[in-house]
């Protein structure tokens, strides 16, 4: 009972170190590769993470729903992933791009399920998810900030050493995960079928036409996120920014603020308008990057980075909460895996692939000579975000659970079907 009273701090520590691991290298991987003569594989490096996300989270979500507690699965993937991460710097030093990509692929097979696993552990062990989850999840952002800041202070923004720091933290987190509150498989004992293997139960969510609209828009908008994560650090480096890792953490500071404000805005705006605010923030961010590039207006670039709280929290984090509301209790793990598959998987793969192609064909110079080319590069994702926002405005609708219950509507109406 006493351990139960510390549930939020324990889950918050889980999130802190899970995203600390990512914060050591994810935002600056493109910069690390470009500084070490491997800029041509930046897009591919992020794209293969998308392939891994398509394969692993939804399958492991099914396994954790049916066979193994989520906290033990989280421990396993963090320990194995940490070991793999340790070997990546050597491939960068020797400029062995192929080996780097294969090891990165195996690592991302381990890391991508942690998004849904940490969400599932959190949702299972707290009562009021709308109120408690943002507090827990914001600690992940704090972890990302702390990691990025430490890497920047140590001078490792463009160094492969950052990956090994993440490796050590990942293994330690894996050991800590064994101490997390038990999150049992909700469908344990139920016979496994082809339906389960293909995760068709979670895919039933797509029969809800408004959830289908949400998934389509989320997947397409993740193309912008993939472009930002892959190349924002390279863009800042060309603009003359020195401490790239610390500057990128401005976005996470913004994320902390808006994460804590999520319950406030949810009560006043509801899911639809929160999603729309997040989409238009993406349009504004990319437009600021495009406008500031040829003139080297670094302050406008900083503003674009600072919009991350609106871009990420109001659309993608709110999307986790929306998914948890509409999913049946028996497939919540699969449902979280489903959204990760479409975003970190399909969206990240397609976005990183095309962003890499766009970068290699558009930004052919380096340093100040490339800034005019960066303007053309950022216009494309700005247009994508604008199209998604208009489509979403006209085709998505949602009634909150409380409003639906007050009107005594049936279940399908409650889920917006």
């Amino acid at each position: 009972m006493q351990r139960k009273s510390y549930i939020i701090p324990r889950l918050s520590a889980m999130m802190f170190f899970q995203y600390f691991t990512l914060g050591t290298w994810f935002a600056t991987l493109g910069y690390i590769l470009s500084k070490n003569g491997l800029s041509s594989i930046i897009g591919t490096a992020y794209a293969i993470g998308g392939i891994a996300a398509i394969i692993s989270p939804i399958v492991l979500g099914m396994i954790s729903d049916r066979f193994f507690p989520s906290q033990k699965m989280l421990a396993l993937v963090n320990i194995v992933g940490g070991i793999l991460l340790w070997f990546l710097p050597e491939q960068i030093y020797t400029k062995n791009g192929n080996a780097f990509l294969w090891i990165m692929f195996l690592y991302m097979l381990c890391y991508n399920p942690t998004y849904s696993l940490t969400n599932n552990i959190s949702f299972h062990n707290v009562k009021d998810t709308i109120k408690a989850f943002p507090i827990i999840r914001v600690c992940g952002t704090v972890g990302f900030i702390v990691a990025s800041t430490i890497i920047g202070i140590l001078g490792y923004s463009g160094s492969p050493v950052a990956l090994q720091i993440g490796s050590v933290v990942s293994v330690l987190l894996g050991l800590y995960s064994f101490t997390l509150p038990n999150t049992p498989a909700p469908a344990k004992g139920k016979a496994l079928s082809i339906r389960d293997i293909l995760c068709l139960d979670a895919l039933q969510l797509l029969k809800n036409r408004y959830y289908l609209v949400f998934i389509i828009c989320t997947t397409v908008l993740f193309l912008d996120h993939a472009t930002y994560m892959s190349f924002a650090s390279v863009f800042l480096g060309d603009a003359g920014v020195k401490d790239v890792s610390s500057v990128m953490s401005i976005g996470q500071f913004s994320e902390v603020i808006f994460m804590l404000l999520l319950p406030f805005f949810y009560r006043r705006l509801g899911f639809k308008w929160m999603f729309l605010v997040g989409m238009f923030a993406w349009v504004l961010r990319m437009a600021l990057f495009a406008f500031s590039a040829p003139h080297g207006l670094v302050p406008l670039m900083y503003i674009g980075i600072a919009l991350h709280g609106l871009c990420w929290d109001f659309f993608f984090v709110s999307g986790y909460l929306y998914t948890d509301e509409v999913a049946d209790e028996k497939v919540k793990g699969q449902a979280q895996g489903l959204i990760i598959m479409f975003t970190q998987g399909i969206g990240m793969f397609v976005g990183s692939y095309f962003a890499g192609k766009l970068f290699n064909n558009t930004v052919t110079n380096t340093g100040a000579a490339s800034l005019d080319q960066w303007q053309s590069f950022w216009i494309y994702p700005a247009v994508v975000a604008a199209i998604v926002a208009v489509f979403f405005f006209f085709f998505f609708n949602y009634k909150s659970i409380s409003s639906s219950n007050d009107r005594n509507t049936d279940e399908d109406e409650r889920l917006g079907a």
Side-chain angles (χ1 to χ4, degrees), residues 242-313:
K242 300 299 182 185
D243 189 354
V244 174
S245 182
S246 296
V247 170
M248 289 292 289
S249 71
I250 293 173
Q252 277 63 51
F253 278 106
S254 167
E255 187 179 333
V256 168
I257 295 171
F258 286 103
M259 189 83 70
L260 294 174
L261 291 174
L262 272 184
F264 172 84
F265 284 107
Y266 171 75
R267 289 193 298 269
R268 284 156 180 79
L269 298 178
F271 281 125
K272 179 172 183 175
W273 286 103
M274 288 180 68
F275 291 153
L276 283 168
V277 169
M279 291 177 186
F280 283 113
W282 275 105
V283 177
L284 180 58
R285 161 184 272 178
M286 298 308 182
L288 284 170
F289 283 174
F291 179 79
S292 64
H295 311 290
L297 299 176
V298 174
L300 291 185
M301 300 175 194
Y302 286 4
I303 293 173
I305 294 170
L307 285 171
H308 191 68
L310 290 173
C311 293
W312 183 256
D313 295 339

Side-chain angles (χ1 to χ4, degrees), residues 137-166:
R137 176 58 183 79
V138 79
C139 290
T141 305
V142 173
F144 198 103
I145 292 171
V146 173
S148 298
T149 303
I150 290 174
I151 295 299
I153 291 173
L154 293 176
Y156 292 146
S157 293
S159 171
V161 173
L163 292 154
Q164 290 183 321
I165 294 174

Side-chain angles (χ1 to χ4, degrees), residues 32-39 41 88-100:
I32 292 170
L33 293 174
S34 67
K35 292 283 284 184
N36 289 273
L38 292 172
S39 60
I41 68 167
L88 283 173
E90 180 62 26
Q91 315 315 315
I92 297 175
Y93 291 133
T94 59
K95 293 182 172 51
N96 192 341
N98 288 333
F100 175 87

Side-chain angles (χ1 to χ4, degrees), residues 30-64:
Y31 188 54
I32 292 170
L33 293 174
S34 67
K35 292 283 284 184
N36 289 273
L38 292 172
S39 60
S40 63
I41 68 167
I42 294 173
T44 307
Y46 282 95
I48 60 174
I51 299 174
I54 295 171
I55 297 171
S56 59
I58 196 165
V59 175
L60 286 181
M62 181 269 295
I63 293 173
S64 62

Side-chain angles (χ1 to χ4, degrees), residues 170-240:
S170 181
V171 172
L172 293 175
L173 173 61
L175 298 175
Y176 170 74
S177 297
F178 285 113
T179 74
L180 291 172
N182 187 42
T183 305
K188 186 174 182 179
K190 185 178 177 182
L192 183 63
S193 64
I194 296 296
R195 181 183 187 84
D196 299 317
I197 295 173
L198 298 177
C199 301
L200 296 181
D201 288 329
L203 289 172
Q204 293 298 308
L205 284 171
L206 301 184
K207 288 184 176 180
N208 176 335
R209 66 179 178 274
Y210 296 130
Y211 191 78
L212 178 61
V213 169
F214 163 75
I215 280 291
I216 292 171
C217 291
T218 301
T219 304
V220 176
L221 192 61
F222 219 81
L223 272 63
D224 279 39
H225 179 70
T227 304
Y228 171 76
M229 294 308 301
S230 300
F231 292 104
S233 63
V234 184
F235 174 50
L236 291 175
D238 282 344

